[in-house]
Amino acid sequence: MQQIQTKDAKATLDRAQRDPVWWVETVLGDQLWQRQRDIIESVRDNPETAVKSCHGPGKSFTAARVALWFLMTHRPSIVITTAPTDRQVRGILWKEIRTAHARSRYPLGGTLLSQELKLDSDWWAWGFTAPDYDPDRFQGFHEDHILVIVDEAAGVSDQIFEGIDGVLTSDQSRLLMIGNPTSTTGRFAEAFKTPGIAKITISAFDTPNFTTFGITEADIADGTWEEKVAGQEMPYPYLVTPQWVAKRYQRWGPDSQLYQARVLGQIPTIGNDTLIPLHWIEAAVQRTLEPGTPNELGVDVARFGSDETVIMHRRGSVARLWKAIPMGDTMETAGQVRVALRETGATTAKIDAVGLGAGVYDRLHELKDPVDEMQSGAASSDPERFANTRAEWWWGLRSRFESGDIDIEDDEELIEQLANIKYKVNSRGQIVIESKEDMKKRGRKSPDRGDALMLAFAKVERPAGLAFGSVSRR
């Protein structure tokens, strides 16, 4: 090893290979906490390591240190890192690699680019995205020492993992899968049921900002965590904090998919009544599609004091939040929709015309703006299957998530609302979507952003010769 000059270089290299924690703390100057030590030592000892973690435990920080330790202490060697999106590869994991390389106490050498580190022709690391349609990107890499790191592994397809398996052929090959466990299916989820794979789980309650103060989930539930912190600074302010968890406990609830995955680091329990599984939603967040047509707005008008009026802008399969507005009077809301129509160039605004939304629709219709009156309680076009248009429209949105034909932004409110929509089948065999009132009874917010998204994608069948108007009444 070239980084630490000693009289016995072989002994130093042997120790570095044998004791990765010592190497990281001595060469890179980073102090690791217990789960980070567990991960890097597991990669040393096991062909495959799977790590499911909460939000913000420093998983990309850890993966970057694993990558540099393996590369720098094994020659010849190859390190390949991948993740579902370029942002995760270049902007997160390789940002950590570049930072650690630059701040190292000892010169690590090599030519470092945005997502490549080359020391020699048989000694290099490289990062790239893992599109589910191109497993061949992993072909042709062969070396005695090879490490593959799959970051945000729940979002990587089984086809890509098949390509990864093709390069992990030597006795010294290693695989590290790490990420938030948002999916109940796929290679990453199956790893936690498979013998022979080292398994590590990181809950928020395992991280130093909790263990230092002895904060438990019961403390979060009853608010006593604040007394334990008592104004003290977090020992690791860049990791998940009790404040963050407490807010999510109140907002999501301990039984929600989001809380299980992002706080406890557990694969979420998805009931048979869940309309859109969390991993479909996460995939839509990570997905990048080209905007197209139609160019339309979905408008959910606030009905109660804490609700929001939400305007969602849809262009083909791509949807983005245009604006979320605290509840106002109908004239003010109508004005906001007019501005949205003008600035987005949308051909119509589909307005939920139940309650206050009727006044917004009536005013815009009077002004001859391109608006559609959406009646969610009206009869469905397929009454044998759906109880009403609300069920039909939501099921259509669900189908887009299932097929991968939707691209949404990383908006925590929207993700939470989508993951909490439930449905049932009534005695007539019709699909019924849980009402906003019933959601509130079980402690959930009104799904304003979810409903606006649903309306943006709702199929509108206008009578012949009618451009806009009361299109949803059957």
Side-chain angles (χ1 to χ4, degrees):
M1 186 176 66
Q2 66 185 27
Q3 299 88 1
I4 305 176
Q5 300 299 324
T6 67
K7 293 181 179 179
D8 192 344
K10 184 179 185 306
T12 302
L13 178 59
D14 287 346
R15 180 174 183 184
Q17 293 175 343
R18 188 175 65 251
D19 191 349
V21 172
W22 170 82
W23 186 88
V24 169
E25 295 186 344
T26 302
V27 175
L28 300 183
D30 295 315
Q31 294 301 306
L32 303 176
W33 58 278
Q34 187 56 53
R35 284 292 188 273
Q36 292 174 325
R37 298 187 190 105
D38 294 342
I39 293 168
I40 195 169
E41 289 175 347
S42 180
V43 172
R44 175 196 62 194
D45 298 336
N46 300 284
E48 295 187 33
T49 298
V51 182
K52 50 186 171 72
S53 76
C54 62
H55 170 81
K59 58 183 179 291
S60 296
F61 173 98
T62 307
R65 273 67 188 171
V66 171
L68 286 172
W69 163 75
F70 189 91
L71 183 69
M72 294 297 172
T73 61
H74 300 83
R75 181 178 184 182
S77 65
I78 296 173
V79 174
I80 301 171
T81 79
T82 192
T85 68
D86 184 68
R87 180 187 66 84
Q88 290 159 339
V89 175
R90 184 194 306 266
I92 299 177
L93 180 53
W94 271 84
K95 180 180 178 181
E96 288 285 359
I97 291 174
R98 294 192 300 270
T99 298
H101 186 278
R103 294 179 180 175
S104 174
R105 290 175 174 174
Y106 298 87
L108 299 181
T111 302
L112 180 62
L113 303 176
S114 61
Q115 54 194 69
E116 182 179 3
L117 174 56
K118 186 171 184 178
L119 294 110
D120 211 331
S121 60
D122 59 358
W123 195 16
W124 48 269
W126 183 35
F128 55 85
T129 57
D132 56 8
Y133 51 83
D134 192 10
D136 291 340
R137 296 194 71 175
F138 286 91
Q139 300 306 311
F141 302 124
H142 298 287
E143 201 57 76
D144 287 342
H145 293 93
I146 187 165
L147 166 67
V148 178
I149 297 175
V150 185
D151 197 10
E152 296 302 343
V156 174
S157 70
D158 288 348
Q159 294 94 324
I160 292 298
F161 274 109
E162 289 173 8
I164 291 172
D165 289 340
V167 306
L168 299 174
T169 56
S170 74
D171 292 339
Q172 300 303 317
S173 64
R174 294 289 186 267
L175 171 63
L176 172 61
M177 298 175 280
I178 190 167
N180 198 231
T182 54
S183 179
T184 60
T185 61
R187 175 70 173 271
F188 186 53
E190 289 299 318
F192 296 95
K193 307 174 187 176
T194 304
I197 297 178
K199 305 165 186 64
I200 297 172
T201 299
I202 307 175
S203 164
F205 299 98
D206 298 325
T207 63
N209 291 334
F210 290 78
T211 57
T212 298
F213 304 107
I215 295 172
T216 66
E217 189 173 44
D219 297 325
I220 292 293
D222 62 20
T224 54
W225 67 270
E226 294 180 282
E227 299 173 12
K228 291 187 173 183
V229 173
Q232 301 176 71
E233 292 185 1
M234 292 291 108
Y236 288 76
Y238 51 86
L239 298 183
V240 61
T241 65
Q243 292 92 331
W244 188 89
V245 170
K247 184 176 181 180
R248 272 67 190 178
Y249 185 95
Q250 295 298 322
R251 179 189 295 175
W252 298 340
D255 297 327
S256 72
Q257 297 180 64
L258 282 166
Y259 186 86
Q260 292 171 28
R262 294 190 175 180
V263 175
L264 300 182
Q266 296 291 351
I267 296 171
T269 302
I270 300 179
N272 293 331
D273 59 350
T274 298
L275 183 70
I276 307 175
L278 179 58
H279 66 278
W280 292 0
I281 302 169
E282 296 282 355
V285 171
Q286 296 169 358
R287 190 175 295 123
T288 301
L289 301 177
E290 288 296 321
T293 56
N295 179 4
E296 298 176 340
L297 303 177
V299 183
D300 184 70
V301 180
R303 294 171 178 78
F304 305 102
S306 62
D307 294 349
E308 296 176 316
T309 290
V310 178
I311 303 174
M312 195 70 65
H313 183 204
R314 175 247 179 130
R315 293 177 294 162
S317 298
V318 178
R320 294 293 183 266
L321 176 67
W322 189 81
K323 185 171 284 190
I325 314 151
M327 189 181 72
D329 63 43
T330 55
M331 295 302 102
E332 178 185 354
T333 302
Q336 293 281 2
V337 176
R338 296 198 88 192
V339 171
L341 283 165
R342 183 170 62 248
E343 293 190 357
T344 64
T347 60
T348 184
K350 293 180 277 187
I351 300 174
D352 184 0
V354 176
L356 291 177
V360 176
Y361 166 79
D362 287 342
R363 176 56 178 159
L364 292 169
H365 185 63
E366 179 183 50
L367 294 170
K368 302 187 184 308
D369 286 316
V371 290
D372 285 316
E373 179 186 14
M374 309 296 282
Q375 290 286 340
S376 58
S380 162
S381 65
D382 186 358
E384 289 190 7
R385 189 177 183 197
F386 302 107
N388 51 29
T389 51
R390 175 175 165 81
E392 183 175 7
W393 295 336
W394 266 110
W395 201 263
L397 185 66
R398 177 189 190 274
S399 298
R400 282 186 172 272
F401 278 97
E402 183 177 19
S403 66
D405 188 24
I406 188 169
D407 169 345
I408 64 173
E409 62 196 301
D410 188 5
D411 176 56
E412 188 175 276
E413 288 278 344
L414 176 60
I415 294 168
E416 174 201 354
Q417 291 175 16
L418 292 171
N420 278 303
I421 299 292
K422 295 186 180 298
Y423 77 99
K424 64 181 180 180
V425 178
N426 65 17
S427 61
R428 298 178 60 185
Q430 297 170 312
I431 293 170
V432 179
I433 302 299
E434 181 181 31
S435 69
K436 294 185 177 186
E437 291 73 20
D438 286 342
M439 289 189 72
K440 289 192 172 185
K441 287 178 183 177
R442 63 182 179 91
R444 301 296 182 195
K445 281 187 61 178
S446 176
D448 309 313
R449 299 185 185 202
D451 273 331
L453 181 72
M454 174 269 289
L455 290 167
F457 283 93
K459 185 177 180 181
V460 173
E461 297 179 3
R462 301 184 183 90
L466 179 65
F468 301 98
S470 301
V471 300
S472 62
R473 295 183 180 181
R474 303 277 189 246

